[in-house]
Amino acid sequence: MKAARIVNVNEPLQLQELQTPKPRGSQILVKVQSVGVCHSDVHVWEGYYEGIGGQPLKTTDRGVKYPLTPGHEIAGIVDSLGEQVEGFSKNEKVLVYPWIGEGMCPACRIGEENLCDKPRSLGIYNDGGYAEYVLVPDYKYLVKIGDDIDTDISAPLSCAGLTAYGAVKNANLKPDDNVVIVGTGGLGLMAIQLVRALTAARIIAMDIDDKKLQVAKKEGADIVVNLKNEDYTKVVMELTNKLGVDAVIDFVNSTKSVEDYMQILRRRAKIVLVGLFGGELRLSLVSIPTRAYKIIGSYTGSLQDLIELVSLAKRGVVKPVVSNRFKLDQAGEALQMLKDGKIIGRGVLNP
């Protein structure tokens, strides 16, 4: 099988011919039809995240090993099954849950494998979906999608959609709340759809790209603010009778983005940090208890969350915005375009 692999960090991906895995036991081999291109893939490709003081946090220090086939937003069809697999058959359309844990830590035991102490996620710690086939270690990590959703649309649900869903859940919004969504890429657009459909809170979308903000408005944002050109503090305070917003969901999560919106929070506000841009933050420690802020880190979601999200997608409640499609040998181009901010919504590879 062919796979686009990261052999050395920050170097062009290599299209390699690998032996096609054979599933055993409870494993399933999935023929990849669609795989989303995610900012996490960019970080794995570059080999680092930005840490405190701009110091790089190396992916290898977090357990990532190279060469690696990236890609964790995977949808396709069942190709072959291990002898212990039940409930699945060849050629069924499936979505892969990639946030696999080691199974025994406290998080795994309560169904939160995405928060495992020793994660084994596909496309990050194990070979993922930038390939013609991917070996899924257990059939429990597959969700049937049937013919209700195209694989290009369903693939981003397993990260962009799932991460947005988890963040919206953590924000615990009410219909009369005001929420700021920072970043209107693939995750931000999914969050806008979810907030609109599930909470009816008023949505203020912020970005530095007018084209992305136009799409955000189309997807359901009530107000859009270009952080480069507009006084966001004035806009928010006028909108909220000078009280501030009830919640912020930050899909950028950089030093500047967080510093910006700390000035527009209402008392009791929730800050949900999602993005992995990185950096550091200085906080007024007195304001945290006196204003009762809640700062929440939010990382993807559980398998049950994905099952719920697929149900919502099948009913047309949410639909990922897929703007670019690439062939497998264009994987490097796709990553570069995403890094440069040239993809609105989600890019998808079709191996």
Side-chain angles (χ1 to χ4, degrees):
M1 70 174 190
K2 290 184 174 62
R5 312 197 81 205
I6 304 170
V7 177
N8 296 302
V9 297
N10 222 21
E11 292 186 5
L13 274 67
Q14 294 184 20
L15 193 63
Q16 298 182 343
E17 189 72 38
L18 304 177
Q19 185 173 358
T20 303
K22 294 183 179 180
R24 302 180 184 278
S26 60
Q27 298 173 337
I28 283 185
L29 185 69
V30 173
K31 182 175 176 57
V32 179
Q33 293 187 320
S34 308
V35 55
V37 182
C38 177
H39 274 285
S40 294
D41 301 338
V42 175
H43 292 305
V44 173
W45 171 45
E46 291 180 323
Y48 73 95
Y49 301 85
E50 185 176 340
I52 295 174
Q55 294 299 312
L57 297 173
K58 293 183 179 180
T59 51
T60 50
D61 291 340
R62 299 182 67 223
V64 178
K65 297 179 181 179
Y66 302 92
L68 174 72
T69 304
H72 50 271
E73 296 184 344
I74 308 163
I77 59 174
V78 174
D79 180 83
S80 51
L81 309 86
E83 63 275 9
Q84 296 175 10
V85 174
E86 298 178 358
F88 287 88
S89 57
K90 187 176 175 64
N91 294 326
E92 277 193 296
K93 287 174 68 176
V94 292
L95 179 64
V96 178
Y97 178 78
W99 311 108
I100 296 166
E102 51 84 33
M104 296 301 293
C105 78
C108 289
R109 287 179 177 270
I110 61 171
E112 295 181 347
E113 291 193 51
N114 56 305
L115 302 178
C116 177
D117 292 332
K118 298 178 180 179
R120 300 175 181 179
S121 308
L122 298 180
I124 299 174
Y125 300 103
N126 287 291
D127 284 340
Y130 282 25
E132 292 178 312
Y133 297 89
V134 64
L135 184 66
V136 181
D138 195 293
Y139 64 94
K140 74 176 183 180
Y141 298 116
L142 296 181
V143 179
K144 296 182 182 183
I145 56 175
D147 294 322
D148 298 309
I149 323 173
D150 180 80
T151 56
D152 281 2
I153 299 300
S154 63
L157 292 175
S158 61
C159 180
L162 183 61
T163 301
Y165 188 50
V168 171
K169 276 189 167 184
N170 279 322
N172 193 26
L173 298 165
K174 301 175 181 62
D176 58 349
D177 282 348
N178 293 288
V179 58
V180 164
I181 292 178
V182 182
T184 56
L187 280 78
L189 294 177
M190 282 297 302
I192 290 168
Q193 293 183 29
L194 288 162
V195 171
R196 171 68 60 208
L198 302 180
T199 77
R202 181 159 52 179
I203 303 166
I204 306 163
M206 296 187 180
D207 208 306
I208 58 173
D209 188 318
D210 281 331
K211 290 183 180 179
K212 290 182 179 180
L213 288 170
Q214 289 173 8
V215 178
K217 186 73 173 177
K218 181 180 177 182
E219 293 299 317
D222 295 287
I223 305 292
V224 295
V225 179
N226 188 315
L227 293 169
K228 278 187 175 180
N229 307 325
E230 299 178 70
D231 185 344
Y232 66 90
T233 303
K234 181 180 179 182
V235 172
V236 168
M237 288 308 181
E238 287 181 354
L239 192 66
T240 61
N241 197 27
K242 298 184 179 180
L243 291 172
V245 296
D246 301 277
V248 174
I249 303 175
D250 188 351
F251 292 105
V252 179
N253 194 22
S254 67
T255 299
K256 186 176 189 319
S257 71
V258 181
E259 285 179 348
D260 281 346
Y261 61 66
M262 290 299 291
Q263 314 305 315
I264 56 171
L265 298 175
R266 187 175 189 167
R267 294 190 76 172
R268 308 174 302 281
K270 293 177 286 291
I271 306 161
V272 183
L273 302 178
V274 186
L276 300 176
F277 192 92
E280 59 185 317
L281 180 67
R282 294 183 65 182
L283 293 172
S284 169
L285 294 180
V286 172
S287 67
I288 304 300
T290 59
R291 297 187 63 81
Y293 295 148
K294 295 179 176 66
I295 301 176
I296 304 165
S298 188
Y299 185 70
T300 68
S302 68
L303 176 57
Q304 179 58 39
D305 288 334
L306 183 59
I307 292 169
E308 293 172 8
L309 186 62
V310 168
S311 179
L312 291 171
K314 284 184 175 181
R315 286 181 280 155
V317 176
V318 293
K319 182 180 181 180
V321 176
V322 177
S323 54
N324 300 75
R325 290 171 173 82
F326 304 89
K327 298 297 184 183
L328 187 59
D329 59 4
Q330 297 174 303
E333 176 187 344
L335 287 174
Q336 189 63 52
M337 285 182 64
L338 182 61
K339 179 182 177 181
D340 294 341
K342 295 180 179 179
I343 293 180
I344 297 173
R346 212 54 163 177
V348 171
L349 299 179
N350 302 121

